Structure formats: C-alpha cells, structure tokens
Amino acid sequence: MNHRITKQLVCVLMVLCLCLSLPLFAGQAHADSQQALLVLVDKAAMGSGADKLVAADKAVIDRVLGDTTVCPETTELLKGDGVVEAELSFTGWGVRALTTLSDGSKVPVSGHAVLERRGEYLFGGESKFLLYGFQEENGKTRFYSSYSVPKFDFLIGRMVGNTTIFIQDKFYTVDENGYLDMDNPQDRDADEKLWARYWRADLCDGLPPKMQMTWNASLCVEHAFDWDHPTYHVDSTETEQGYNTFVCPRCGGWETIKLPLKGAK
C-alpha cells in the first residue's frame, strides 16, 4: 500500500515539474524589455527632423557598452554626439529603427546601430530598412552577415569583425572595426582548413554577398506568439510525435513544441 502511495506521489511531482517547465520551453523567445537599441544617426539622410532628435541617456549607453561586444571605433562614437535610442519596427517589407523625437512623433532613422547583447547592425537606404551584405561606411566597406552560421557566430544582419570570412568563393580579412579590403581578396586555396569548415556548414561557395530579407528573427526581442493558436499543427500517432509550430507575425521567427505520443501517459 505504501509503495503504491509513493508511486502516486512521484507521478504527481513529475506532472508538476513538467507543467512548471513548459513556460521554459516556450521561453526560448522570451521578452527582454531592458534590451536597448542605440543608433548613430545619419543626420544628412534624416533631413529636417534632425533638430528634434533626443540624445540617448548616458547611463543606457554605458550599460550597452558594458554588456555588448562592440568594435573600438563604435565604442568611441557612442561617447560622442548623434546617438539616439530607438525601437525595432518589423514590417512585411523590412526591419526599421524608430526613434521618438522631441515632439513625441516616431520616425525611422538611418545609421550604424548597436543592439544590446546582440552586436552591431546598419539601417539605411531610401526606406531606412536593416541592411545586409557589403555596405559602404565612412568611405570603406563592411560586411553585415547575409546568413546565420552558428559555427562561426554569424547572425543575419550583424556586422562581422576581426576574422576572415569566405564570401562567394573568396576570402576577405576583416579588421577589428569590421572593415575589409575589397580589392585584395584571396582565393579558396589560400586557406584549405577554413574552407573545409565552411564546406561542413553546407556553404561550399561561402556566404552569399547579399540577402533580400523582409524580416529578421534574430532581432526580435519579444516574439508575438499566440500560444493558444498554433500556426501549424500535426497530430501525434502511436509511433510518431506530432507538434505545434508558432510563427511570430512580426518577424517570421518560429518555435516548435513536440507533442506526446498518442496514448502516452
């Protein structure tokens, strides 16, 4: 009798642990309201609204510099003028950085940006969207990753720095500030071992030089998943697990949760 009670208590505890852990599984895309976005605004591209910009709080800048890997050049620029706080805006056409002006209005801005604990990004062009691939800055060239490669710590849209990258069958050396020499790339044979790493990552020809993206899941700090209504659902069978897939309507990021086998207790 005591043995049966013990087994029942163990089962109850296991169920409670499972229930408590479910938010953690879903929480791979949890919110982070303290994640700041700082933009070094290109005032020339902004036009008449430049005089209404609100400078970023120094305490926020110091915090970002303390917990984000930023290149030396950007570190110095963040200590100067023209730095504003912004928020990410996800649209069906692209990702923008919106800053609040002194009159309370929100407008998209262009410029080099730092997303706290994520790295450095760039907003620009006519629509001021997040940019990818080779980009001209300060008369030099930088590369904002066109692909996410966990093995190399690359995220789509994030600036690559202080490494050697393989792009469209060519090697480029990137300095600590993210700049690379476009006129002097090296062929694949220059580094067989590094090429082999890319090959194992299914990138035989290297990273694509550009990417036409309309969203960026790696930037979304709070996915708008509707946990009560999965975007895709597959029922479990007695031998194969089904799943619920939830898609963020803002950035396209997704989360899949496997379901127990049919009849499982």
Side-chain angles (χ1 to χ4, degrees):
M1 183 69 177
N2 290 336
H3 182 64
R4 176 182 294 180
I5 294 174
T6 301
K7 288 181 64 177
Q8 290 177 340
L9 287 173
V10 170
C11 290
V12 170
L13 288 173
M14 289 179 66
V15 170
L16 286 173
C17 289
L18 179 60
C19 292
L20 290 173
S21 66
L22 284 176
L24 297 177
F25 292 129
Q28 291 180 15
H30 62 81
D32 187 350
S33 60
Q34 297 302 312
Q35 188 173 45
L37 174 65
L38 301 176
V39 182
L40 294 157
V41 177
D42 181 354
K43 294 183 179 179
M46 186 170 181
S48 59
D51 59 339
K52 298 179 182 178
L53 289 171
V54 178
D57 187 271
K58 185 179 182 301
V60 174
I61 296 175
D62 290 341
R63 188 188 77 211
V64 171
L65 288 175
D67 58 20
T68 311
T69 300
V70 179
C71 73
E73 180 179 277
T74 302
T75 299
E76 291 305 312
L77 290 173
L78 287 177
K79 298 176 182 178
D81 298 325
V83 185
V84 303
E85 291 184 58
E87 60 185 69
L88 294 170
S89 173
F90 297 90
T91 74
W93 298 100
V95 183
R96 296 191 296 184
L98 301 182
T99 192
T100 302
L101 301 179
S102 58
D103 62 5
S105 62
K106 292 185 178 181
V107 297
V109 288
S110 296
H112 194 80
V114 177
L115 182 60
E116 188 172 8
R117 293 188 294 279
R118 298 291 179 93
E120 301 180 59
Y121 297 82
L122 181 66
F123 296 88
E126 292 184 4
S127 301
K128 300 179 175 59
F129 286 141
L130 182 72
L131 300 177
Y132 308 85
F134 293 113
Q135 302 294 334
E136 295 296 320
E137 284 188 86
N138 306 319
K140 301 177 182 179
T141 302
R142 280 171 163 162
F143 185 76
Y144 294 83
S145 186
S146 56
Y147 204 76
S148 287
V149 189
K151 291 182 179 179
F152 299 98
D153 195 28
F154 294 162
L155 284 178
I156 291 178
R158 187 168 69 183
M159 190 188 83
V160 177
N162 200 29
T163 187
T164 298
I165 51 178
F166 188 48
I167 304 171
Q168 207 173 32
D169 219 28
K170 298 289 184 181
F171 282 111
Y172 297 88
T173 299
V174 186
D175 67 20
E176 63 178 355
N177 287 308
Y179 296 115
L180 51 91
D181 187 352
M182 293 291 293
D183 297 325
N184 295 292
Q186 294 181 297
D187 293 328
R188 175 187 299 181
D189 297 337
D191 195 329
E192 290 286 348
K193 290 184 178 180
L194 183 55
W195 176 82
R197 290 189 65 200
Y198 276 86
W199 179 80
R200 289 192 293 271
D202 294 325
L203 292 166
C204 300
D205 297 323
L207 298 167
K210 60 182 179 179
M211 180 67 72
Q212 299 299 327
M213 295 288 293
T214 57
W215 47 265
N216 188 324
S218 66
L219 285 178
C220 198
V221 295
E222 183 178 4
H223 292 293
F225 292 137
D226 183 352
W227 298 112
D228 295 323
H229 302 92
T231 309
Y232 305 104
H233 169 78
V234 173
D235 288 324
S236 295
T237 66
E238 294 180 353
T239 57
E240 294 186 8
Q241 285 183 280
Y243 58 85
N244 286 331
T245 297
F246 305 87
V247 179
C248 176
R250 296 189 306 188
C251 72
W254 53 273
E255 179 79 17
T256 294
I257 298 178
K258 290 186 178 181
L259 303 174
L261 293 173
K262 186 177 181 180
K265 296 181 179 180

